[in-house]
Amino acid sequence: MAGSSSEYIKHHLKNWSNRDQVGLIDMGVLNYDTIIMSVMCAVLAALTMWLIARKSVAGVPSRTQALFEVVVDMAAGQSKSIVSNAKDFSFIAALALTIFVWVLFMNAIDFFPVDMMVTLLHTLKIDVHYFKPVPTADLNGTFGVSLGVVLICIMCGIKAHGGKNFVSGLFTSPFHASSLIAKTALAPANFFENVLGYLAKSISLAMRLFGNMYAGELIFMLIALLGATWTWWGFLSHWLLGSVWAIFHILVIALQAFIMMMLALVYLGQAHEKH
């Protein structure tokens, strides 16, 4: 157990890794908790959607099926309005639904007790001292999702315009020129601008989701520490503020999943546009 409030928070915000990270970016660090929870949420999300689709009926739907149909219609509607020129619309809609449900599941881990996974691992005789259960509260996890989205955008761009036109667009847009000399002179600037754009997309997707979920997890811990004061007002504040923040956080995790889906669709729409 940590000796102070700050040590308690630092302890619970530390990942279960193969070693400590050196610098802002360290490719040799593996956060096992983020990998485990991300894969687990992906499996649960896919299994949940499969079970609901398997039990769906054409007549009067159940409440679960009705809720799922609302989510599917939302993802399909947003995909059709934003990526209207896509050749394979079914893939775009399915991708949007997958991103929304997967991120929603990863965000929802924040509602479970912070020490639940560590206790479970200790029960299984696995000696783990650090475990941060929310994958989206780890920058490595959100960067993984964002890089996946950017790679899919590049693949969709190649499929929509052809490999030759896609590569040509990297050197001829956004600064267009008519003469060969001007095109050659602007080619490095165009290439740098496009590479910078892809980097900006991955960073914006990752940092926005990470910042919101990290702050939410930190607030949960600060509220939980009120109960450690061993006073009547501390326990009252703990339950009152904890309940209010938990209710508000339901909107936060759903909103963050929706924004992640919408930004991915916007980037996919840009990938299908002509340069």
Side-chain angles (χ1 to χ4, degrees):
M1 295 298 292
S4 65
S5 299
S6 60
E7 292 175 352
Y8 174 85
I9 293 175
K10 289 180 180 179
H11 177 86
H12 285 83
L13 291 178
K14 186 176 178 61
N15 288 98
W16 175 26
S17 306
N18 58 335
R19 62 177 176 82
D20 292 334
Q21 182 169 322
V22 179
L24 181 62
I25 300 177
D26 191 345
M27 301 299 292
V29 174
L30 291 176
N31 290 340
Y32 301 126
D33 44 12
T34 299
I35 296 173
I36 292 172
M37 299 305 292
S38 297
V39 173
M40 186 186 75
C41 288
V43 173
L44 289 176
L47 183 61
T48 300
M49 290 189 289
W50 177 77
L51 288 175
I52 295 175
R54 183 171 176 267
K55 295 181 179 180
S56 61
V57 294
V60 180
S62 63
R63 293 181 180 179
T64 303
Q65 180 182 339
L67 177 61
F68 185 67
E69 287 179 354
V70 170
V71 176
V72 172
D73 290 341
M74 178 269 296
Q78 295 297 335
S79 301
K80 189 173 183 179
S81 62
I82 297 176
V83 199
S84 57
N85 54 350
K87 296 180 180 179
D88 190 0
F89 173 74
S90 59
F91 171 76
I92 301 298
L95 177 63
L97 178 65
T98 302
I99 292 175
F100 176 79
V101 176
W102 185 29
V103 174
L104 182 66
F105 270 61
M106 290 192 290
N107 291 348
I109 298 296
D110 212 6
F111 288 119
F112 291 93
V114 68
D115 291 320
M116 184 184 71
M117 290 302 301
V118 174
T119 303
L120 177 61
L121 291 172
H122 286 172
T123 304
L124 298 174
K125 305 302 181 181
I126 301 176
D127 189 17
V128 175
H129 298 285
Y130 305 101
F131 199 99
K132 190 162 70 170
V134 184
T136 48
D138 179 15
L139 190 57
N140 296 280
T142 57
F143 256 117
V145 177
S146 66
L147 288 175
V149 171
V150 171
L151 288 176
I152 293 176
C153 289
I154 294 175
M155 292 171 57
C156 288
I158 295 174
K159 184 177 180 180
H161 307 294
K164 182 179 179 180
N165 291 332
F166 178 81
V167 174
S168 176
L170 294 177
F171 295 93
T172 57
S173 65
F175 306 113
H176 300 280
S178 56
S179 64
L180 180 60
I181 297 177
K183 288 182 179 180
T184 305
L186 290 174
N190 283 327
F191 182 76
F192 176 77
E193 179 73 15
N194 283 290
V195 171
L196 188 63
Y198 283 117
L199 289 176
K201 290 176 182 178
S202 61
I203 293 174
S204 64
L205 281 173
M207 294 296 294
R208 183 205 51 77
L209 180 58
F210 161 74
N212 283 278
M213 295 309 302
Y214 187 87
E217 189 175 14
L218 183 59
I219 292 175
F220 266 125
M221 292 182 186
L222 292 173
I223 294 175
L225 285 173
L226 291 172
T229 59
W230 294 102
T231 59
W232 66 269
W233 59 266
F235 282 105
L236 181 61
S237 300
H238 167 73
W239 286 104
L240 180 61
L241 295 177
S243 300
V244 172
W245 179 247
I247 295 173
F248 177 74
H249 206 60
I250 295 175
L251 301 176
V252 172
I253 64 173
L255 180 62
Q256 293 306 316
F258 177 77
I259 294 175
M260 190 73 175
M261 180 195 72
M262 292 297 293
L263 289 176
L265 287 175
V266 170
Y267 297 154
L268 286 169
Q270 294 175 352
H272 285 82
E273 293 177 356
K274 293 183 179 181
H275 297 292

